[in-house]
Amino acid sequence: MKSAKWENIFKGWNRKESNEILTLKQVPVFKDFQYSDFRELENLMHKREYKAGDYIFKNRAPGEGMYIIVKGNVKITVGTRSKKENVFANLTDGEFFGELALFDDEPRSANAIATENTQLLGFFTQDLMTLQERNPVLGQKILFNLGGLLGERLRKTNALLVKEQTKK
Amino acid sequence: MSDQKNYIQLIYRIIVGLILVWFLSTIWPYISNVILMLVFAFLFTTILLSSVDNLERKINNRGVSVLLVVILLLGSIGGFLGSFISQISKQAIDFSKRVDKETLTIEFANLVEKFTSSLPNFLKTGQSSNEDFASKLAEFTQTVLGSLASMAGAVGNFMFLATMIFIFTIILLAEYHVFRKSLVSMIPNKYFEIGLKLIFNIEKSVSSYLKGQFLSASSVAAMSIAGLIILNLAGANLTLIIFIGIIAGLSNLIPLIGPFVGMVPAILISFMNNIGNDASTAHMLFGVLPSPFFIFDIILMFLVVQQIEGNLITPTLVGKSVGLHPMLVMISLLIGGTLLGPLGMLFAVPASGIIKVIVKEVAFVRQNAQYL
């Protein structure tokens, strides 16, 4: 017969990770995180569901933070559906968007539209600030990782710009 | 056509608003107590939440963290009160050993004589004769008995309120993040980000207000302690100064009544320490007003502290903490006091802070409506 005490001690060993934690593990912003860190993040984040065709946010809307796709598809566009619609990116499970809004008060620079029934996790400036207060080490880790990702993107954009200019 | 539609919509909204106001005013007497309990529980939760969250991160168990923080809080309140009561009762025992009933009577008679002799003539004319005294005493006894009965009722009611607030606080502390998430999940997708920002700003405003109140209470405590030390230098012979200062600081949080509650222990201790001391009985404030046992000195000192706190510290510190102009803080306090008395004054500033946040966000939503 199993002892309740031992079962209690080893109860974390066969823990089942939620879909949300499994998704967060794929996101580079949260690389090198421990299980307890993911639990804390999961508690802070907001689960949202959107139907196919729903706007997650519109271009020029006030932005508060980033979204991570747990399940579904999201297209990032500029322009309107009736007029010229330019699709920048099609994002799927484990990918994220809108992270720039974590750093500035500028309005959104594109539309985000669900192309099928989609589950998202929202992580906002307020959540980041709460996390900074409650667990500064974790907050700093996220900021550092986000900084790295933005730096990488900037480098890529610079390279593209140089390429375009040398073409001319 | 569209103008007519707008008018109909406006009339419809006014009717719905009026029905809502009527409905709320009808049920208000039944729900006011519960709302009051929830508001207090929310305030206590805001104060204790960060400690519970920090502890939970360390021991990984929310329930135990809540229990530990609550036990620690109750322990410190109990320890403070217990220590204060034991110290003051020790002093009362010393006092009763030092002074017998006869001395006390003589002391009182001397005091009354000294006080009446120092009064101007026109104030002495209304004094009662010995015949009226018995009937006045009977009347006074009846009033005291009546007051005692109503006080027992009030104490019972207070105990019930305190127990319910305590239970609500524990539940809110244990489930705060779950409640918050459920509230956020109810916001429609279109207003989600704005709604989340609104909740966050309200939380921030309340927590800043509480921080401001804490600073204000601490400053009153510090100023009272300093004032009592100065009185001691003048020969007031006061003890338990730290306790008196803390009580004055805490009770100052309750507008109007609080400041007077702070004075009581100081006067009581001064009386117990100085009875039988001729120099103290004959003490004159500024050499003009008779102030036996430094009573008027103590009252004056607390009044000065309250004026500094009320006109300087609260409007700047507390107003700054909720982002309200000092003038607006004063107006809120006046409106709160007129509507709900001391309780209204207690909630006036955080309520104004919350209203300001809501108005700001609604204006923001109206401005950006086409992008939502």
Side-chain angles (χ1 to χ4, degrees):
Chain A
M1 208 178 90
K2 275 184 186 173
S3 146
K5 190 168 78 182
W6 287 109
E7 236 179 80
N8 223 6
I9 290 170
F10 295 111
K11 74 176 174 190
W13 283 30
N14 57 356
R15 68 189 166 214
K16 255 192 167 177
E17 286 175 349
S18 63
N19 270 349
E20 287 74 32
I21 291 190
L22 290 172
T23 307
L24 291 177
K25 279 187 165 177
Q26 298 174 45
V27 182
V29 179
F30 311 119
K31 69 172 182 192
D32 304 329
F33 274 34
Q34 305 288 318
Y35 177 72
S36 57
D37 299 339
F38 283 120
R39 282 294 308 275
E40 189 151 2
L41 269 179
E42 193 192 12
N43 282 337
L44 270 178
M45 288 183 167
H46 310 276
K47 256 184 259 179
R48 305 297 296 183
E49 288 187 4
Y50 294 82
K51 286 186 185 128
D54 278 358
Y55 272 94
I56 295 151
F57 53 74
K58 287 182 184 167
N59 189 11
R60 311 236 15 103
E64 291 298 319
M66 68 185 277
Y67 290 90
I68 298 146
I69 305 169
V70 178
K71 199 172 177 292
N73 270 296
V74 172
K75 63 175 178 182
I76 307 294
T77 70
V78 282
T80 56
R81 265 178 263 193
S82 51
K83 290 175 189 171
K84 263 196 268 172
E85 187 190 62
N86 270 332
V87 179
F88 277 152
N90 273 303
L91 306 171
T92 188
D93 303 5
E95 292 184 293
F96 63 95
F97 56 95
E99 67 283 2
L100 278 179
L102 282 173
F103 298 103
D104 58 22
D105 285 332
E106 293 295 305
R108 300 282 189 188
S109 52
N111 303 303
I113 305 160
T115 50
E116 59 182 76
N117 289 350
T118 302
Q119 276 177 26
L120 300 174
L121 279 176
F123 184 59
F124 301 100
T125 320
Q126 293 84 16
D127 303 321
L128 186 61
M129 278 156 82
T130 310
L131 190 68
Q132 278 284 29
E133 237 174 72
R134 285 165 57 178
N135 192 344
V137 177
L138 199 60
Q140 268 179 354
K141 230 179 188 178
I142 292 176
L143 284 175
F144 197 74
N145 287 346
L146 269 169
L149 276 169
L150 293 177
E152 198 184 302
R153 279 187 200 168
L154 188 66
R155 219 169 283 131
K156 276 182 188 167
T157 315
N158 282 345
L160 274 174
L161 208 69
V162 170
K163 209 172 153 186
E164 283 296 312
Q165 277 180 339
T166 44
K167 261 187 198 174
K168 283 176 189 172
Chain B
M1 188 70 189
S2 123
D3 271 358
Q4 202 182 352
K5 207 176 163 188
N6 281 347
Y7 274 124
I8 293 169
Q9 250 184 4
L10 184 73
I11 293 167
Y12 171 74
R13 277 180 192 169
I14 291 172
I15 292 170
V16 170
L18 286 173
I19 292 172
L20 260 173
V21 169
W22 170 80
F23 182 69
L24 273 175
S25 61
T26 315
I27 60 163
W28 181 251
Y30 306 102
I31 59 164
S32 60
N33 260 0
V34 180
I35 289 177
L36 187 73
M37 287 176 207
L38 285 173
V39 168
F40 268 108
F42 175 67
L43 288 181
F44 286 124
T45 305
T46 311
I47 296 169
L48 301 174
L49 192 66
S50 60
S51 316
V52 172
D53 284 345
N54 283 333
L55 199 62
E56 188 197 3
R57 209 173 308 115
K58 284 187 181 102
I59 61 173
N60 230 351
N61 190 322
R62 183 90 188 167
V64 177
S65 314
V66 172
L67 208 69
L68 283 174
V69 168
V70 167
I71 289 172
L72 197 74
L73 177 80
L74 286 181
S76 359
I77 294 173
F80 175 78
L81 284 179
S83 164
F84 178 66
I85 290 168
S86 83
Q87 296 263 11
I88 208 159
S89 50
K90 210 171 110 190
Q91 227 162 329
I93 291 165
D94 284 350
F95 166 74
S96 63
K97 273 183 197 161
R98 213 155 25 90
V99 185
D100 54 40
K101 205 179 164 188
E102 217 167 287
T103 328
L104 198 64
T105 320
I106 296 165
E107 195 76 33
F108 266 123
N110 281 344
L111 200 66
V112 170
E113 203 185 297
K114 265 183 196 165
F115 192 70
T116 44
S117 66
S118 68
L119 283 176
N121 276 336
F122 67 92
L123 283 175
K124 291 179 195 166
T125 47
Q127 282 179 38
S128 55
S129 65
N130 277 345
E131 282 97 52
D132 308 332
F133 189 70
S135 65
K136 280 208 172 156
L137 192 70
E139 203 179 296
F140 176 73
T141 319
Q142 263 184 344
T143 319
V144 167
L145 282 176
S147 308
L148 277 177
S150 65
M151 213 166 99
V155 167
N157 196 28
F158 174 78
M159 289 306 285
F160 172 71
L161 273 176
T163 315
M164 289 313 291
I165 290 169
F166 179 66
I167 293 168
F168 282 151
T169 306
I170 290 179
I171 296 170
L172 266 179
L173 275 174
E175 300 286 330
Y176 185 81
H177 298 295
V178 180
F179 284 148
R180 191 180 185 277
K181 273 199 154 183
S182 321
L183 186 69
V184 170
S185 69
M186 281 191 269
I187 306 171
N189 281 340
K190 194 178 172 184
Y191 300 106
F192 171 52
E193 293 191 20
I194 298 280
L196 196 68
K197 194 176 157 196
L198 179 71
I199 293 173
F200 180 78
N201 285 342
I202 288 176
E203 281 175 336
K204 209 168 100 182
S205 166
V206 173
S207 119
S208 306
Y209 167 73
L210 288 172
K211 273 178 201 157
Q213 284 293 75
F214 176 75
L215 279 173
S216 163
S218 308
S219 62
V220 168
M223 283 192 291
S224 306
I225 291 170
L228 292 169
I229 291 172
I230 293 168
L231 286 181
N232 262 358
L233 291 176
N237 189 23
L238 288 161
T239 45
L240 302 177
I241 285 176
I242 307 279
F243 280 112
I244 298 171
I246 293 173
I247 288 174
L250 288 177
S251 60
N252 203 66
L253 294 177
I254 311 160
L256 291 177
I257 308 163
F260 297 99
V261 177
M263 290 176 190
V264 176
I267 293 173
L268 201 73
I269 285 169
S270 167
F271 177 70
M272 288 198 291
N273 285 358
N274 292 316
I275 194 124
N277 178 350
D278 283 342
S280 160
T281 318
H283 175 72
M284 304 277 271
L285 175 61
F286 301 127
V288 186
L289 185 74
S291 171
F293 310 115
F294 287 79
I295 287 173
F296 291 117
D297 299 57
I298 292 170
I299 292 172
L300 181 73
M301 187 275 287
F302 275 108
L303 284 177
V304 170
V305 168
Q306 279 157 32
Q307 289 308 309
I308 297 174
E309 186 271 336
N311 295 314
L312 211 76
I313 295 170
T314 296
T316 44
L317 263 186
V318 179
K320 219 176 186 179
S321 64
V322 285
L324 290 174
H325 191 273
M327 184 81 172
L328 216 58
V329 173
M330 298 261 206
I331 293 169
S332 318
L333 285 171
L334 281 173
I335 295 173
T338 317
L339 288 176
L340 288 169
L343 208 65
M345 288 177 93
L346 186 66
F347 293 121
V349 182
S352 310
I354 290 172
I355 290 170
K356 189 191 164 193
V357 168
I358 292 172
V359 168
K360 210 172 143 190
E361 290 305 322
V362 168
F364 186 72
V365 168
R366 286 179 77 99
Q367 212 180 339
N368 292 284
Q370 73 268 35
Y371 304 122
L372 296 175

Short mmCIF file of all heavy atoms in Angstrom, two decimals, chain B residues 311-365:
data_model
loop_
_atom_site.label_atom_id
_atom_site.label_comp_id
_atom_site.label_asym_id
_atom_site.label_seq_id
_atom_site.Cartn_x
_atom_site.Cartn_y
_atom_site.Cartn_z
N ASN B 311 -4.30 69.63 7.16
CA ASN B 311 -4.19 70.69 6.16
C ASN B 311 -2.92 70.61 5.33
O ASN B 311 -2.83 71.25 4.29
CB ASN B 311 -4.23 72.06 6.84
CG ASN B 311 -5.57 72.30 7.48
OD1 ASN B 311 -6.60 72.04 6.88
ND2 ASN B 311 -5.56 72.73 8.73
N LEU B 312 -1.96 69.82 5.80
CA LEU B 312 -0.69 69.77 5.07
C LEU B 312 -0.38 68.37 4.55
O LEU B 312 -0.21 68.16 3.36
CB LEU B 312 0.42 70.24 6.03
CG LEU B 312 1.59 70.93 5.37
CD1 LEU B 312 1.19 72.35 4.99
CD2 LEU B 312 2.78 70.96 6.32
N ILE B 313 -0.38 67.41 5.50
CA ILE B 313 0.07 66.06 5.10
C ILE B 313 -0.97 65.33 4.26
O ILE B 313 -0.66 64.87 3.17
CB ILE B 313 0.47 65.25 6.35
CG1 ILE B 313 1.68 65.92 6.98
CG2 ILE B 313 0.81 63.81 5.98
CD1 ILE B 313 2.06 65.41 8.32
N THR B 314 -2.22 65.24 4.75
CA THR B 314 -3.23 64.48 4.00
C THR B 314 -3.47 65.04 2.60
O THR B 314 -3.38 64.29 1.63
CB THR B 314 -4.54 64.36 4.80
OG1 THR B 314 -4.25 63.61 5.96
CG2 THR B 314 -5.63 63.67 4.00
N PRO B 315 -3.76 66.33 2.44
CA PRO B 315 -4.02 66.81 1.07
C PRO B 315 -2.84 66.60 0.12
O PRO B 315 -3.04 66.27 -1.03
CB PRO B 315 -4.30 68.29 1.24
CG PRO B 315 -4.72 68.43 2.64
CD PRO B 315 -3.94 67.42 3.41
N THR B 316 -1.60 66.76 0.62
CA THR B 316 -0.48 66.60 -0.30
C THR B 316 -0.11 65.13 -0.49
O THR B 316 -0.06 64.64 -1.60
CB THR B 316 0.76 67.38 0.18
OG1 THR B 316 0.91 67.16 1.58
CG2 THR B 316 0.63 68.85 -0.07
N LEU B 317 0.09 64.40 0.64
CA LEU B 317 0.52 62.99 0.55
C LEU B 317 -0.56 62.11 -0.05
O LEU B 317 -0.34 61.40 -1.02
CB LEU B 317 0.85 62.46 1.94
CG LEU B 317 2.30 62.47 2.38
CD1 LEU B 317 2.44 61.77 3.71
CD2 LEU B 317 3.17 61.81 1.34
N VAL B 318 -1.77 62.16 0.56
CA VAL B 318 -2.85 61.27 0.12
C VAL B 318 -3.36 61.70 -1.25
O VAL B 318 -3.60 60.87 -2.12
CB VAL B 318 -3.99 61.22 1.17
CG1 VAL B 318 -5.11 60.32 0.72
CG2 VAL B 318 -3.44 60.75 2.51
N GLY B 319 -3.50 63.02 -1.44
CA GLY B 319 -3.96 63.52 -2.73
C GLY B 319 -3.00 63.14 -3.83
O GLY B 319 -3.39 62.69 -4.89
N LYS B 320 -1.71 63.26 -3.55
CA LYS B 320 -0.68 62.92 -4.52
C LYS B 320 -0.76 61.43 -4.85
O LYS B 320 -0.61 61.03 -6.00
CB LYS B 320 0.69 63.25 -3.93
CG LYS B 320 1.65 63.85 -4.91
CD LYS B 320 2.91 64.22 -4.19
CE LYS B 320 3.88 64.96 -5.05
NZ LYS B 320 5.07 65.34 -4.33
N SER B 321 -0.99 60.62 -3.79
CA SER B 321 -0.98 59.17 -3.99
C SER B 321 -2.11 58.71 -4.89
O SER B 321 -2.00 57.70 -5.55
CB SER B 321 -1.04 58.44 -2.65
OG SER B 321 -2.25 58.72 -2.01
N VAL B 322 -3.27 59.42 -4.90
CA VAL B 322 -4.34 59.02 -5.83
C VAL B 322 -4.43 59.96 -7.02
O VAL B 322 -5.34 59.86 -7.83
CB VAL B 322 -5.73 58.95 -5.13
CG1 VAL B 322 -5.84 57.73 -4.28
CG2 VAL B 322 -6.03 60.19 -4.34
N GLY B 323 -3.47 60.88 -7.12
CA GLY B 323 -3.42 61.79 -8.27
C GLY B 323 -4.54 62.82 -8.24
O GLY B 323 -5.06 63.20 -9.29
N LEU B 324 -4.96 63.25 -7.06
CA LEU B 324 -6.01 64.26 -6.96
C LEU B 324 -5.42 65.56 -6.44
O LEU B 324 -4.52 65.54 -5.59
CB LEU B 324 -7.11 63.80 -6.00
CG LEU B 324 -8.01 62.65 -6.43
CD1 LEU B 324 -8.92 62.26 -5.29
CD2 LEU B 324 -8.84 63.02 -7.64
N HIS B 325 -5.96 66.67 -6.93
CA HIS B 325 -5.51 67.98 -6.44
C HIS B 325 -5.98 68.15 -4.99
O HIS B 325 -7.08 67.71 -4.64
CB HIS B 325 -6.14 69.06 -7.33
CG HIS B 325 -5.56 70.41 -7.10
ND1 HIS B 325 -6.05 71.25 -6.12
CD2 HIS B 325 -4.52 71.05 -7.69
CE1 HIS B 325 -5.33 72.36 -6.14
NE2 HIS B 325 -4.40 72.26 -7.08
N PRO B 326 -5.12 68.78 -4.10
CA PRO B 326 -5.52 68.96 -2.70
C PRO B 326 -6.92 69.56 -2.53
O PRO B 326 -7.68 69.16 -1.64
CB PRO B 326 -4.46 69.91 -2.15
CG PRO B 326 -3.27 69.68 -3.01
CD PRO B 326 -3.78 69.27 -4.34
N MET B 327 -7.26 70.49 -3.43
CA MET B 327 -8.59 71.13 -3.38
C MET B 327 -9.68 70.08 -3.59
O MET B 327 -10.70 70.07 -2.88
CB MET B 327 -8.63 72.17 -4.51
CG MET B 327 -9.87 72.98 -4.56
SD MET B 327 -9.77 74.29 -3.37
CE MET B 327 -11.22 75.22 -3.79
N LEU B 328 -9.43 69.18 -4.55
CA LEU B 328 -10.40 68.13 -4.86
C LEU B 328 -10.54 67.16 -3.69
O LEU B 328 -11.63 66.65 -3.41
CB LEU B 328 -9.94 67.38 -6.12
CG LEU B 328 -11.03 66.91 -7.07
CD1 LEU B 328 -11.88 68.06 -7.55
CD2 LEU B 328 -10.41 66.18 -8.24
N VAL B 329 -9.40 66.91 -2.99
CA VAL B 329 -9.43 66.03 -1.81
C VAL B 329 -10.34 66.64 -0.74
O VAL B 329 -11.21 65.97 -0.17
CB VAL B 329 -8.01 65.81 -1.23
CG1 VAL B 329 -8.05 65.05 0.07
CG2 VAL B 329 -7.16 65.06 -2.23
N MET B 330 -10.19 67.95 -0.52
CA MET B 330 -11.00 68.65 0.49
C MET B 330 -12.48 68.57 0.11
O MET B 330 -13.33 68.27 0.94
CB MET B 330 -10.58 70.13 0.56
CG MET B 330 -9.15 70.31 0.98
SD MET B 330 -9.06 70.71 2.70
CE MET B 330 -7.55 71.57 2.80
N ILE B 331 -12.77 68.85 -1.19
CA ILE B 331 -14.17 68.83 -1.65
C ILE B 331 -14.74 67.42 -1.50
O ILE B 331 -15.86 67.25 -1.00
CB ILE B 331 -14.27 69.32 -3.13
CG1 ILE B 331 -13.91 70.80 -3.19
CG2 ILE B 331 -15.66 69.10 -3.70
CD1 ILE B 331 -13.71 71.35 -4.59
N SER B 332 -13.95 66.39 -1.86
CA SER B 332 -14.42 65.00 -1.72
C SER B 332 -14.73 64.70 -0.26
O SER B 332 -15.76 64.08 0.04
CB SER B 332 -13.36 64.00 -2.18
OG SER B 332 -12.76 64.41 -3.32
N LEU B 333 -13.83 65.15 0.64
CA LEU B 333 -14.04 64.89 2.07
C LEU B 333 -15.32 65.56 2.55
O LEU B 333 -16.10 64.96 3.30
CB LEU B 333 -12.84 65.38 2.88
CG LEU B 333 -11.58 64.53 2.82
CD1 LEU B 333 -10.41 65.24 3.48
CD2 LEU B 333 -11.80 63.18 3.49
N LEU B 334 -15.56 66.78 2.07
CA LEU B 334 -16.77 67.51 2.49
C LEU B 334 -18.02 66.79 1.97
O LEU B 334 -18.98 66.59 2.73
CB LEU B 334 -16.73 68.94 1.94
CG LEU B 334 -15.86 69.91 2.72
CD1 LEU B 334 -15.77 71.25 2.00
CD2 LEU B 334 -16.46 70.14 4.12
N ILE B 335 -18.00 66.39 0.68
CA ILE B 335 -19.17 65.71 0.11
C ILE B 335 -19.40 64.38 0.83
O ILE B 335 -20.51 64.06 1.25
CB ILE B 335 -19.01 65.49 -1.42
CG1 ILE B 335 -18.97 66.85 -2.12
CG2 ILE B 335 -20.14 64.64 -1.98
CD1 ILE B 335 -18.64 66.80 -3.60
N GLY B 336 -18.30 63.60 1.02
CA GLY B 336 -18.41 62.30 1.71
C GLY B 336 -18.96 62.48 3.11
O GLY B 336 -19.85 61.72 3.54
N GLY B 337 -18.46 63.47 3.81
CA GLY B 337 -18.91 63.74 5.19
C GLY B 337 -20.36 64.13 5.24
O GLY B 337 -21.12 63.68 6.10
N THR B 338 -20.79 64.98 4.27
CA THR B 338 -22.19 65.41 4.26
C THR B 338 -23.11 64.24 3.95
O THR B 338 -24.18 64.09 4.53
CB THR B 338 -22.39 66.51 3.17
OG1 THR B 338 -21.30 67.41 3.25
CG2 THR B 338 -23.69 67.25 3.35
N LEU B 339 -22.69 63.37 3.01
CA LEU B 339 -23.56 62.27 2.60
C LEU B 339 -23.62 61.15 3.62
O LEU B 339 -24.70 60.65 3.96
CB LEU B 339 -23.11 61.70 1.25
CG LEU B 339 -23.35 62.56 0.02
CD1 LEU B 339 -22.77 61.89 -1.21
CD2 LEU B 339 -24.85 62.77 -0.19
N LEU B 340 -22.45 60.72 4.13
CA LEU B 340 -22.42 59.51 4.96
C LEU B 340 -21.69 59.68 6.30
O LEU B 340 -21.36 58.69 6.96
CB LEU B 340 -21.75 58.36 4.18
CG LEU B 340 -22.53 57.75 3.02
CD1 LEU B 340 -21.62 56.85 2.21
CD2 LEU B 340 -23.72 56.94 3.52
N GLY B 341 -21.39 60.91 6.68
CA GLY B 341 -20.71 61.13 7.97
C GLY B 341 -19.27 60.68 7.93
O GLY B 341 -18.65 60.66 6.86
N PRO B 342 -18.72 60.25 9.10
CA PRO B 342 -17.30 59.86 9.16
C PRO B 342 -16.95 58.75 8.18
O PRO B 342 -15.88 58.74 7.58
CB PRO B 342 -17.14 59.35 10.60
CG PRO B 342 -18.25 59.96 11.35
CD PRO B 342 -19.37 60.17 10.39
N LEU B 343 -17.90 57.81 7.99
CA LEU B 343 -17.66 56.70 7.07
C LEU B 343 -17.50 57.23 5.64
O LEU B 343 -16.64 56.77 4.89
CB LEU B 343 -18.86 55.74 7.15
CG LEU B 343 -18.55 54.30 6.83
CD1 LEU B 343 -17.60 53.73 7.87
CD2 LEU B 343 -19.84 53.50 6.79
N GLY B 344 -18.33 58.20 5.31
CA GLY B 344 -18.26 58.83 3.99
C GLY B 344 -16.92 59.51 3.78
O GLY B 344 -16.35 59.46 2.69
N MET B 345 -16.41 60.12 4.86
CA MET B 345 -15.11 60.80 4.76
C MET B 345 -13.98 59.79 4.57
O MET B 345 -13.01 60.03 3.87
CB MET B 345 -14.85 61.63 6.01
CG MET B 345 -15.72 62.85 6.08
SD MET B 345 -15.45 63.75 7.59
CE MET B 345 -14.23 64.93 7.08
N LEU B 346 -14.14 58.62 5.23
CA LEU B 346 -13.13 57.57 5.13
C LEU B 346 -12.99 57.08 3.69
O LEU B 346 -11.90 56.81 3.20
CB LEU B 346 -13.51 56.41 6.06
CG LEU B 346 -12.52 55.29 6.22
CD1 LEU B 346 -11.27 55.78 6.91
CD2 LEU B 346 -13.12 54.15 7.04
N PHE B 347 -14.15 56.97 2.99
CA PHE B 347 -14.12 56.42 1.63
C PHE B 347 -14.12 57.50 0.54
O PHE B 347 -14.07 57.17 -0.64
CB PHE B 347 -15.30 55.48 1.41
CG PHE B 347 -15.21 54.24 2.25
CD1 PHE B 347 -16.19 53.91 3.16
CD2 PHE B 347 -14.12 53.39 2.12
CE1 PHE B 347 -16.09 52.77 3.94
CE2 PHE B 347 -14.01 52.25 2.88
CZ PHE B 347 -15.01 51.94 3.80
N ALA B 348 -14.22 58.78 0.96
CA ALA B 348 -14.38 59.85 -0.04
C ALA B 348 -13.20 59.91 -1.01
O ALA B 348 -13.41 59.95 -2.23
CB ALA B 348 -14.54 61.18 0.67
N VAL B 349 -11.97 59.89 -0.47
CA VAL B 349 -10.81 60.07 -1.35
C VAL B 349 -10.59 58.87 -2.29
O VAL B 349 -10.46 59.07 -3.50
CB VAL B 349 -9.54 60.39 -0.52
CG1 VAL B 349 -8.36 60.62 -1.43
CG2 VAL B 349 -9.79 61.62 0.34
N PRO B 350 -10.59 57.61 -1.76
CA PRO B 350 -10.42 56.52 -2.73
C PRO B 350 -11.55 56.46 -3.75
O PRO B 350 -11.31 56.16 -4.92
CB PRO B 350 -10.39 55.25 -1.87
CG PRO B 350 -10.94 55.63 -0.56
CD PRO B 350 -10.66 57.09 -0.40
N ALA B 351 -12.79 56.80 -3.31
CA ALA B 351 -13.92 56.79 -4.25
C ALA B 351 -13.69 57.83 -5.34
O ALA B 351 -13.90 57.55 -6.53
CB ALA B 351 -15.22 57.05 -3.52
N SER B 352 -13.21 59.02 -4.97
CA SER B 352 -12.95 60.06 -5.98
C SER B 352 -11.85 59.60 -6.92
O SER B 352 -11.92 59.86 -8.13
CB SER B 352 -12.49 61.36 -5.33
OG SER B 352 -13.35 61.70 -4.31
N GLY B 353 -10.82 58.93 -6.34
CA GLY B 353 -9.72 58.41 -7.17
C GLY B 353 -10.26 57.44 -8.21
O GLY B 353 -9.90 57.49 -9.39
N ILE B 354 -11.16 56.53 -7.76
CA ILE B 354 -11.73 55.52 -8.67
C ILE B 354 -12.59 56.21 -9.74
O ILE B 354 -12.50 55.88 -10.92
CB ILE B 354 -12.55 54.48 -7.86
CG1 ILE B 354 -11.58 53.62 -7.03
CG2 ILE B 354 -13.37 53.59 -8.79
CD1 ILE B 354 -12.24 52.69 -6.06
N ILE B 355 -13.40 57.19 -9.31
CA ILE B 355 -14.25 57.91 -10.28
C ILE B 355 -13.38 58.60 -11.33
O ILE B 355 -13.66 58.55 -12.53
CB ILE B 355 -15.17 58.92 -9.56
CG1 ILE B 355 -16.22 58.15 -8.75
CG2 ILE B 355 -15.86 59.86 -10.56
CD1 ILE B 355 -17.03 59.00 -7.81
N LYS B 356 -12.27 59.19 -10.86
CA LYS B 356 -11.38 59.88 -11.79
C LYS B 356 -10.83 58.90 -12.84
O LYS B 356 -10.82 59.20 -14.04
CB LYS B 356 -10.22 60.52 -11.01
CG LYS B 356 -9.37 61.42 -11.87
CD LYS B 356 -8.11 61.82 -11.18
CE LYS B 356 -7.14 62.38 -12.20
NZ LYS B 356 -5.81 62.50 -11.67
N VAL B 357 -10.40 57.69 -12.35
CA VAL B 357 -9.85 56.68 -13.27
C VAL B 357 -10.91 56.28 -14.29
O VAL B 357 -10.65 56.21 -15.50
CB VAL B 357 -9.38 55.43 -12.47
CG1 VAL B 357 -9.09 54.26 -13.39
CG2 VAL B 357 -8.14 55.76 -11.66
N ILE B 358 -12.17 56.04 -13.81
CA ILE B 358 -13.24 55.59 -14.72
C ILE B 358 -13.54 56.68 -15.76
O ILE B 358 -13.62 56.39 -16.96
CB ILE B 358 -14.51 55.22 -13.91
CG1 ILE B 358 -14.24 53.95 -13.09
CG2 ILE B 358 -15.70 54.97 -14.85
CD1 ILE B 358 -15.31 53.58 -12.10
N VAL B 359 -13.67 57.93 -15.30
CA VAL B 359 -13.97 59.03 -16.23
C VAL B 359 -12.89 59.13 -17.30
O VAL B 359 -13.17 59.26 -18.50
CB VAL B 359 -14.12 60.37 -15.46
CG1 VAL B 359 -14.14 61.56 -16.40
CG2 VAL B 359 -15.39 60.35 -14.62
N LYS B 360 -11.61 59.01 -16.86
CA LYS B 360 -10.49 59.12 -17.78
C LYS B 360 -10.55 58.00 -18.84
O LYS B 360 -10.38 58.26 -20.03
CB LYS B 360 -9.19 58.99 -16.98
CG LYS B 360 -8.03 59.74 -17.57
CD LYS B 360 -6.87 59.71 -16.61
CE LYS B 360 -5.57 59.57 -17.35
NZ LYS B 360 -4.46 59.30 -16.46
N GLU B 361 -10.84 56.76 -18.38
CA GLU B 361 -10.87 55.63 -19.31
C GLU B 361 -12.06 55.72 -20.26
O GLU B 361 -11.95 55.38 -21.43
CB GLU B 361 -10.91 54.29 -18.55
CG GLU B 361 -9.62 53.94 -17.82
CD GLU B 361 -8.39 53.93 -18.70
OE1 GLU B 361 -8.48 53.51 -19.86
OE2 GLU B 361 -7.33 54.39 -18.23
N VAL B 362 -13.23 56.18 -19.73
CA VAL B 362 -14.41 56.31 -20.58
C VAL B 362 -14.14 57.35 -21.67
O VAL B 362 -14.46 57.13 -22.85
CB VAL B 362 -15.67 56.67 -19.74
CG1 VAL B 362 -16.83 57.10 -20.65
CG2 VAL B 362 -16.09 55.48 -18.89
N ALA B 363 -13.50 58.46 -21.28
CA ALA B 363 -13.16 59.50 -22.26
C ALA B 363 -12.22 58.92 -23.32
O ALA B 363 -12.38 59.19 -24.52
CB ALA B 363 -12.51 60.68 -21.56
N PHE B 364 -11.27 58.09 -22.87
CA PHE B 364 -10.30 57.46 -23.77
C PHE B 364 -11.02 56.54 -24.76
O PHE B 364 -10.73 56.54 -25.95
CB PHE B 364 -9.28 56.68 -22.94
CG PHE B 364 -8.14 56.12 -23.72
CD1 PHE B 364 -7.15 56.95 -24.21
CD2 PHE B 364 -8.06 54.76 -23.97
CE1 PHE B 364 -6.10 56.43 -24.94
CE2 PHE B 364 -7.02 54.23 -24.70
CZ PHE B 364 -6.02 55.07 -25.18
N VAL B 365 -12.00 55.75 -24.24
CA VAL B 365 -12.74 54.82 -25.09
C VAL B 365 -13.54 55.61 -26.13
O VAL B 365 -13.56 55.27 -27.31
CB VAL B 365 -13.67 53.92 -24.24
CG1 VAL B 365 -14.65 53.17 -25.12
CG2 VAL B 365 -12.85 52.94 -23.42
#
